[in-house]
Amino acid sequence: MSNRRSKISIEIDLAANGKHTGYLRLPHSVHRSAYGFLAMPIVSIRNGTGPRVLLTSGNHGDEYEGQVVLTKLARMLAPENISGQVIIVPMLNFPAAAAGMRTSPIDDGNLNRVFPGDPDGRPTWMIAHFVETVLMPEVDYSMDLHSGGSSLIYVPGTLARRVDDKKTLDKILELVRAFGAPNCYLMSGGTELGTGGILSAAERAGIIGVSAELGGAGMVTPATLAITERGVRNVLSHLGVLAEKVDAHPTRIMQVDRAAHYAYAYDSGLFEPRVELGDNVRKGDLAGVVVFPDEPWREPAPVHFRGDGVVVCKRVPARVERGDCVYHLASDVKL
Ligand code: CA
């Protein structure tokens, strides 16, 4: 890890009690603004000692469930209702979130692939470095809210790394069960985006990190927002940050195996799906076919599942290219 310091500055005092709102300033010198900065909103609500929790969304800018709910909580949470601290950054990759895009339009960066980042890199890399080396050391817990974005939709679930350390895994699962989403997707250490994701950053920072896949399709629904808000409040209550009663809902703990559980198109055309979210499928089952309106006489190209499981995620746009993920599965796991 680099010893170089972040150039992102914080307008508010994270150590101060009370509610403080302002911006993270990411220096951004461009043609229209020589001495300008990107203004990334941040809210700190602190009351004495107690667990400190970092809540983030907009890591991928086109994933809106977390952005809507954290925006609401940023307004509603008051210091007098809190023991400890909640730090909210609702547009974590700010340029991506401002543009409603998965990746940043100013540097093409995918924030959840570039941790631990680079303090001297482009904005997305600077943000990753700032989160891992400045924000995470200030907190005990990190919850980063994702969804399927523009191209995928999920059965709502929390997402976590299946870390090797049993004590850490138990703490992660405690939060997962407190959140109470319908599913939890456990990614084995070797398969979660290498080490470039925010959950790996949390692990390196020595804090408990949980993420989520709360819906997607570039939209929000009352149902997914209700699961998201209830889940975040439940976690805060479970930790004792809020004094609300935990609204318990069962969570199906599942594992995801990248090799066996992801189904991809190998042809460019229109994908005709043959299964739906929630279906149980077996290895070799037909996931769908790619059809070719530009060669309507051509035989459709089948896509088969490569493992057994439950369909928990599907592609949204019908148009596919070779290499696009059309489904992913998960399977029950006993811990
Ligand atoms: Ca995501």
Side-chain angles (χ1 to χ4, degrees), residues 73-114:
L73 291 178
R75 278 181 285 116
M76 289 178 65
L77 293 181
E80 55 269 27
N81 309 124
I82 280 183
S83 302
Q85 185 173 24
V86 177
I87 298 172
I88 297 176
V89 185
M91 300 171 80
L92 193 59
N93 193 355
F94 176 78
M101 291 175 63
R102 177 174 180 81
T103 53
S104 172
I106 60 176
D107 58 23
D108 272 341
N110 180 338
L111 179 57
N112 218 33
R113 300 290 184 278
V114 305

Side-chain angles (χ1 to χ4, degrees), residues 202-248:
E203 221 179 316
R204 284 189 294 268
I207 64 172
I208 301 300
V210 174
S211 187
E213 298 288 2
L214 293 158
M219 62 174 187
V220 293
T221 67
T224 55
L225 292 178
I227 289 168
T228 306
E229 181 174 353
R230 186 188 74 207
V232 174
R233 285 182 171 279
N234 277 349
V235 166
L236 293 177
S237 302
H238 174 81
L239 293 173
V241 175
L242 286 178
E244 296 171 2
K245 191 172 160 293
V246 175
D247 184 12

Side-chain angles (χ1 to χ4, degrees), residues 225-295:
L225 292 178
I227 289 168
T228 306
E229 181 174 353
R230 186 188 74 207
V232 174
R233 285 182 171 279
N234 277 349
V235 166
L236 293 177
S237 302
H238 174 81
L239 293 173
V241 175
L242 286 178
E244 296 171 2
K245 191 172 160 293
V246 175
D247 184 12
H249 287 256
T251 293
R252 183 176 183 180
I253 310 283
M254 310 185 87
Q255 65 181 353
V256 178
D257 168 1
R258 193 173 261 295
H261 279 160
Y262 287 66
Y264 288 93
Y266 274 80
D267 298 86
S268 300
L270 298 182
F271 186 68
E272 180 191 326
R274 294 292 170 84
V275 301
E276 248 316 335
L277 291 177
D279 286 354
N280 289 288
V281 303
R282 305 298 300 262
K283 182 178 180 177
D285 282 357
L286 186 65
V289 295
V290 180
V291 302
F292 308 102
D294 54 344
E295 294 173 273

Side-chain angles (χ1 to χ4, degrees), residues 59-60 62-63 102 112-113 145-149 212-213:
N59 176 330
H60 291 139
D62 62 344
E63 302 175 2
R102 177 174 180 81
N112 218 33
R113 300 290 184 278
L145 303 173
H146 286 249
S147 76
E213 298 288 2

